[in-house]
Amino acid sequence: MFNLDERYRGLPATREQILALHTSLNAPHVAIPGKQAGPAQAFVVGLRGGQGTAAVFVYLYLAEAADCAVYLSGRRNVSAEEYRDDEGDALAFVESLGFMMDDANWRAMAPEQQDEQLKTLPVFFKDPTLVPAVVARAEEKKNVTTTLGRFLAAF
């Protein structure tokens, strides 16, 4: 079972920490308690912890709200078999929300591709407001507001 954990805003990780990455192929409209409803992307990430531990996370990214929701399994220090069970449960959970998931095949990616994913996917940012698309949108709004202010000041 996966539960919402408000302490998490992102899952910054190194290439070596990532065991698996699954991404959604679609962006269904979801309503998450305490969050603005809207279209979302889903990510299921398996991360290696210290001393051979592993955990599975479900990360839902709400682009319109520049927000996220991170769900965790109740188990943290899991065996390989328990890890596979948790990964399957996580995929079933997001699919029950309407997401169609695809295995990104992290281990088969070239290191350069992995680095690119770490720099662009919202799941790997410390905070969803730091995602490049969100930053670009904020800058665009600022420029529009400045331009409009100058235009109105001219009158």
Side-chain angles (χ1 to χ4, degrees), residues 85-141:
D85 290 344
D86 282 356
E87 186 178 35
D89 290 347
L91 291 168
F93 170 66
V94 293
E95 288 171 353
S96 74
L97 296 174
F99 292 98
M100 295 183 298
M101 301 302 290
D102 182 44
D103 185 348
N105 209 359
W106 181 263
R107 293 185 176 268
M109 279 185 201
E112 299 79 27
Q113 288 177 296
Q114 291 174 338
D115 288 338
E116 184 65 25
Q117 297 288 325
L118 289 169
K119 292 177 191 170
T120 58
L121 293 180
V123 65
F124 298 121
F125 284 82
K126 271 194 270 191
D127 188 309
T129 60
L130 301 175
V131 174
V134 172
V135 172
R137 254 197 327 256
E139 189 62 33
E140 186 177 301
K141 278 185 181 178

Side-chain angles (χ1 to χ4, degrees), residues 9 14 26 43 53 57 80-82 84 87 90 93 107 112 116 131 139 147 149:
R9 301 290 295 148
T14 64
N26 61 338
F43 301 89
T53 62
F57 298 84
E81 185 174 316
E82 290 171 325
R84 283 190 294 279
E87 186 178 35
F93 170 66
R107 293 185 176 268
E112 299 79 27
E116 184 65 25
V131 174
E139 189 62 33
T147 303

Side-chain angles (χ1 to χ4, degrees), residues 34-71:
K35 310 278 183 189
Q36 177 182 327
Q41 288 177 282
F43 301 89
V44 173
V45 182
L47 293 178
R48 181 185 339 261
Q51 301 172 341
T53 62
V56 177
F57 298 84
V58 171
Y59 179 94
L60 302 180
Y61 178 61
L62 305 157
E64 289 180 358
D67 203 355
C68 70
V70 180
Y71 292 82

Side-chain angles (χ1 to χ4, degrees), residues 14-25:
T14 64
R15 279 190 286 128
E16 296 76 25
Q17 289 176 300
I18 300 169
L19 297 170
L21 172 66
H22 301 269
T23 61
S24 60
L25 297 171

